[in-house]
Amino acid sequence: PCFSDLASLKMGVRTLSEALQLSDECRVITTGSAPFNIVHTNKAWSKLTGFKFTEVANRSNSFLQGPHTEAKLVERMRAASEKGETTRVRVVNYDRYGTPFYNSIEIFPLRDMAGKLTHYCGVLHGEDIPDGVVPPIDRKPEELFGSTSGSSTDPDEEEETAAAASGWPAAAAGRGAGRVKRLRRGGHVTLQEALDNTEDAVVMTQPHPPYAITHVNAPWCEMCGYTLEEVEGLSSSILQGAETDEALLSELMASVRRGESSSATLVNYKKGGARFLNQVHIQPVFNQNDEVDQFMAMLHEVDEKERPPHAAPAAAKKAGRRGERA
């Protein structure tokens, strides 16, 4: 189980900026309205529940419920969420493999400067349940979201089925509701817009060296081959390799240090070493106080024929310079 910092729980999480900070607490962030779909989880949350972010992104939290989850407590959470209130309960939940645990969860409403509710942050504190008190359930992780042959291929229908089994109201259980269109490059991007972007491959980092990764979304994981849990706290240098142009990287990082937007097309490497051409756009992300809170990079994999002249492999550039001198 993951044991969170109780002192931090007493202080609470008030803003999206605070919720996205790297933390040993088990944290999950959802949209601010029903069906309260998941937009971010951290490594500690994954360790407690056994689920990876890519498995649960854009779903409600109902998959944690089971036959011994107290319906009255679920209803209390739902009612508080609809009212935009903070709530705390201790409820029986089930991990990815059907093992029950006591989950002391505090749910914090996150608001912007105008007081508008944008998201919720749940901070979880897991405790083992003594043997024999609550029986485990027979849960096959690969079948949980109806991914086996012959099951529904409609995510909304899958989630409704899970909701019916868990007691969560079907009206608050869809997947994909509230998705936003991809962001336009440039301009003033807020944390809310960056986090809610489910179309582009997005990575978000701290605003200062070493620019540790705080969030990646599902399209980024699919493109690069890493899970959020593998890269949390690391830097984007994990994508660099032999043919990554160091001069282009230096230009990009110089813009980052100045707090400016920048773009480049360079060679990167996926998990396992597969090479790809990455058209990357980096821009600052602002918090509710209009301060640079994170940096966001949007990645787009392009064909080699789209490579601009300045993005030629470093080896080819060196060879060209040798030929010119000859």
Side-chain angles (χ1 to χ4, degrees), residues 243-245 267 275 304 307 309-319:
E243 291 188 30
T244 303
D245 192 309
V267 173
R275 176 184 180 280
E304 287 287 338
R307 179 202 297 268
H310 68 272
K317 287 186 176 181
K318 291 178 182 178

Side-chain angles (χ1 to χ4, degrees), residues 12-28:
V13 181
R14 298 162 297 178
T15 66
L16 188 57
S17 174
E18 292 174 359
L20 281 170
Q21 295 302 309
L22 293 175
S23 174
D24 291 332
E25 292 180 336
C26 305
R27 293 185 177 184
V28 55

Side-chain angles (χ1 to χ4, degrees), residues 8 29 40 50 53 60 74 85 87 89 108 120 128 132 134 154 164 214-215 220 227 234 236 240 248 251 293 297 324:
S8 177
I29 301 175
H40 173 80
F53 171 68
S60 76
V74 172
E85 299 175 347
T87 186
V89 298
F108 300 97
Y120 279 98
D128 290 328
V134 178
D154 184 340
T214 58
H215 174 76
W220 186 95
T227 66
L234 303 181
S236 292
Q240 298 171 23
L248 275 178
E251 292 177 13
D293 192 275
E324 291 173 0

Side-chain angles (χ1 to χ4, degrees), residues 8-198:
S8 177
L9 277 178
K10 291 179 181 179
M11 295 176 60
V13 181
R14 298 162 297 178
T15 66
L16 188 57
S17 174
E18 292 174 359
L20 281 170
Q21 295 302 309
L22 293 175
S23 174
D24 291 332
E25 292 180 336
C26 305
R27 293 185 177 184
V28 55
I29 301 175
T30 74
T31 55
S33 58
F36 307 109
N37 286 336
I38 294 171
V39 296
H40 173 80
T41 61
N42 67 358
K43 188 187 302 184
W45 182 93
S46 179
K47 184 178 180 181
L48 172 64
T49 67
F51 292 96
K52 295 186 183 302
F53 171 68
T54 49
E55 295 178 296
V56 303
N58 301 313
R59 297 186 184 273
S60 76
N61 284 276
S62 61
F63 54 83
L64 293 178
Q65 299 170 26
H68 285 80
T69 302
E70 301 89 331
K72 289 183 178 180
L73 296 178
V74 172
E75 174 60 23
R76 185 191 300 175
M77 287 189 288
R78 185 196 62 78
S81 296
E82 289 187 349
K83 294 177 182 178
E85 299 175 347
T86 299
T87 186
R88 185 173 186 178
V89 298
R90 184 172 183 263
V91 65
V92 173
N93 277 161
Y94 296 80
D95 69 13
R96 191 173 192 266
Y97 301 98
T99 303
F101 64 97
Y102 289 126
N103 182 10
S104 295
I105 178 170
E106 190 157 13
I107 303 172
F108 300 97
L110 308 178
R111 303 180 185 277
D112 61 18
M113 282 292 286
K116 180 183 176 181
L117 177 65
T118 63
H119 295 81
Y120 279 98
C121 177
V123 181
L124 286 61
H125 173 61
E127 303 172 55
D128 290 328
I129 296 178
D131 292 341
V133 175
V134 178
I137 58 177
D138 184 14
R139 172 182 276 181
K140 296 181 179 179
E142 66 276 9
E143 297 179 2
L144 185 59
F145 299 121
S147 58
T148 57
S149 60
S151 62
S152 168
T153 57
D154 184 340
D156 291 333
E157 186 176 333
E158 293 168 13
E159 194 72 12
E160 288 176 7
T161 302
S166 64
W168 189 262
R175 180 180 182 182
R179 290 185 182 182
V180 299
K181 295 181 180 180
R182 56 171 43 95
L183 293 174
R184 291 177 296 176
R185 294 185 175 186
H188 192 96
V189 176
T190 66
L191 275 176
Q192 178 184 349
E193 292 169 332
L195 188 62
D196 288 347
N197 183 358
T198 59

Side-chain angles (χ1 to χ4, degrees), residues 265-267 276-279 300-304 306-307:
T265 301
L266 69 166
V267 173
F276 73 105
L277 195 59
N278 179 15
Q279 189 178 77
H300 177 57
E301 185 172 359
V302 297
D303 190 86
E304 287 287 338
E306 298 182 53
R307 179 202 297 268

